[in-house]
Amino acid sequence: MGVEIDIKPIKEWLPKLNNPLLIAGPCSLETEEQAMDTARQLAKDPRVFVYRGGVWKPRTRPGSFEGIGSIGLEWLKQVKQETGLLVGTEVANAQHTEEALKAGLDVLWIGARSTASPFVVQEIADVLKGTDAVVMVKNPVNPDTQLWMGAIERLSKSGITKLVGIHRGFTPFRETKYRNYPNWQSFIELRRLMPNLPVICDPSHIAGKREYLQEVSQKAFDMGMDGLMIESHRDPSCALSDAAQQLTPTDLFKLLDKLVIRNEKVDNKQFEDQLEMLRNRIDSLDTELLEILSSRMEVVRQIGQYKRDNNVTALQMSRWTELMNKRIAAGENMNLNRTFVQILFQLIHEDSVRMQTEIMDAE
């Protein structure tokens, strides 16, 4: 069931926005010159509406660059005054939030580590109570949609209505070419449960490397996201943090030129009719799938009873290994993705074992 909270659409508080919301700027503000020069270059492209700059940088371990500190807020104020861009930064605690509000920043966002702590989020929400701030919430480091939603709900209960989710990927649980595992399913689940929440993508933190930014950004638009937050530095080779994932403003503009922005709906009756026909086929096939799964589980139930009567364990690894190898091979012959087939049958097998153990434990 979806959660209905009072959230204003982006175009209600950004009426001049005529393209997906684009937030760009350096991972960290390092010097006044770097901050201003990068902002001047980004301001040349009207697609950029918000200038981002990290002032306080939470690092995994101490000793690396942890941000320039509060002086960076003064540089952001200068950027706004000179370029007309809205400005924003990450806040990780109540003190950061108080300072950012006092500096008159337009956008605040809560980072992945902070989102993971309901205590921290609540402290930030308490400071924001009674303000008209724009607040964006990155997903927590682990794929916990409820935790992500909880942070957004805490802010909503404090009266914040200009809310945006930021999908920045998750700590990878296996080897991946990206810095953070995208797990697009978490975004889909968030959108299902909070259908009126705008969500933008942070390709920089998903990709981790410049060469993957294009594909991640395009995927975000293919999924129907409302915008992007991309890190851009006047000279990424000299960046004090996340140098490998930042683009020069010129390269950012080239990336934007290549992106295809898709519409969620189109005013074309022929298209809608054809789409409806194909969706009806999907509905019919899904019903068949469920009927087949139901029949399969009935056979599993019979196997469980037979094993119980003959005092045989529910799990037999040799059979499971043989089954998985055969199913993956069969799936590949049908042009099905290997990983998809593997995950599908793992889920089916886990529930089969659950059913069999319940049958055995019932006696």
Side-chain angles (χ1 to χ4, degrees):
M1 181 180 294
V3 176
E4 285 293 333
I5 59 178
D6 185 14
I7 298 177
K8 293 182 178 179
I10 292 176
K11 288 192 175 181
E12 190 169 318
W13 48 269
L14 263 186
K16 294 182 179 179
L17 187 70
N18 54 8
N19 55 268
L21 176 61
L22 179 62
I23 301 172
C27 173
S28 301
L29 299 183
E30 300 159 359
T31 66
E32 182 177 351
E33 182 184 0
Q34 170 252 6
M36 296 304 299
D37 186 32
T38 304
R40 292 184 190 109
Q41 293 184 52
L42 289 171
K44 294 177 182 178
D45 193 315
R47 291 173 291 189
V48 179
F49 267 76
V50 181
Y51 179 78
R52 58 146 291 150
V55 174
W56 304 283
K57 299 301 298 181
R59 312 306 293 174
T60 302
R61 298 178 65 186
S64 56
F65 179 64
E66 295 186 316
I68 200 69
S70 302
I71 186 63
L73 299 175
E74 296 301 317
W75 302 343
L76 288 172
K77 289 165 64 175
Q78 290 181 45
V79 167
K80 181 176 181 179
Q81 184 176 6
E82 180 177 327
T83 68
L85 291 171
L86 300 182
V87 293
T89 197
E90 177 180 343
V91 292
N93 56 42
Q95 181 183 342
H96 292 171
T97 309
E98 290 173 354
E99 290 190 46
L101 289 174
K102 186 177 179 180
L105 268 58
D106 303 288
V107 176
L108 310 179
W109 70 87
I110 300 174
R113 291 181 176 89
S114 300
T115 302
S117 172
F119 295 105
V120 169
V121 174
Q122 188 59 57
E123 289 174 0
I124 293 173
D126 290 343
V127 173
L128 290 167
K129 191 170 185 178
T131 71
D132 194 34
V134 176
V135 186
M136 303 185 177
V137 184
K138 290 194 174 186
N139 59 257
V141 291
N142 294 317
D144 187 337
T145 306
Q146 293 298 312
L147 196 57
W148 197 1
M149 292 175 60
I152 294 163
E153 289 171 318
R154 288 178 186 277
L155 292 161
S156 176
K157 287 181 181 296
S158 287
I160 302 301
T161 58
K162 299 173 183 177
L163 288 163
V164 178
I166 304 177
H167 176 63
R168 50 79 77 191
F170 304 87
T171 300
F173 58 87
R174 58 179 172 81
E175 192 67 27
T176 171
K177 69 179 183 179
Y178 298 133
R179 173 181 177 179
N180 288 307
Y181 181 59
N183 194 26
W184 301 104
Q185 182 58 40
S186 292
F187 156 69
I188 295 172
E189 183 67 1
L190 180 70
R191 176 138 287 177
R192 183 182 72 84
L193 294 171
M194 289 185 158
N196 63 331
L197 175 72
V199 182
I200 66 174
C201 184
D202 177 351
S204 302
H205 279 87
I206 291 177
K209 295 181 180 178
R210 279 182 285 278
E211 54 263 38
Y212 301 136
L213 288 173
Q214 183 82 42
E215 63 185 73
V216 175
S217 299
Q218 186 59 63
K219 177 72 172 182
F221 282 138
D222 291 347
M223 298 286 286
M225 291 198 185
D226 299 283
L228 304 172
M229 175 186 278
I230 299 185
E231 293 181 347
S232 179
H233 189 292
R234 66 173 183 171
D235 185 358
S237 66
C238 298
L240 298 180
S241 60
D242 291 346
Q245 67 191 38
Q246 299 194 66
L247 292 170
T248 64
T250 298
D251 286 339
L252 172 61
F253 302 154
K254 291 178 181 177
L255 181 150
L256 296 176
D257 290 338
K258 295 177 183 177
L259 292 177
V260 178
I261 301 172
R262 307 189 189 280
N263 300 310
E264 186 174 348
K265 297 180 180 179
V266 61
D267 187 16
N268 184 322
K269 189 176 187 306
Q270 183 178 358
F271 167 81
E272 293 292 345
D273 290 345
Q274 180 68 15
L275 186 62
E276 184 64 22
M277 182 186 73
L278 293 171
R279 284 173 171 168
N280 288 337
R281 287 180 60 188
I282 288 288
D283 291 344
S284 178
L285 290 167
D286 284 349
T287 300
E288 290 183 36
L289 276 174
L290 292 171
E291 290 172 349
I292 291 170
L293 285 172
S294 177
S295 298
R296 188 186 194 281
M297 295 312 287
E298 178 56 38
V299 175
V300 168
R301 187 176 291 106
Q302 295 175 25
I303 290 175
Q305 293 169 345
Y306 193 56
K307 285 181 177 178
R308 179 198 63 195
D309 296 342
N310 288 272
N311 202 29
V312 175
T313 60
L315 178 61
Q316 295 168 304
M317 285 305 301
S318 59
R319 162 63 180 166
W320 165 234
T321 301
E322 177 189 4
L323 180 149
M324 181 60 83
N325 290 336
K326 287 183 176 179
R327 301 301 182 267
I328 290 175
E332 288 181 329
N333 288 335
M334 299 178 192
N335 295 320
L336 291 173
N337 180 272
R338 179 186 181 89
T339 302
F340 167 73
V341 174
Q342 183 176 3
I343 293 173
L344 174 63
F345 277 93
Q346 281 176 339
L347 291 171
I348 291 173
H349 185 257
E350 286 172 9
D351 204 56
S352 299
V353 172
R354 177 197 59 78
M355 178 180 288
Q356 291 182 33
T357 54
E358 286 180 357
I359 290 171
M360 293 175 180
D361 293 341
E363 293 298 320

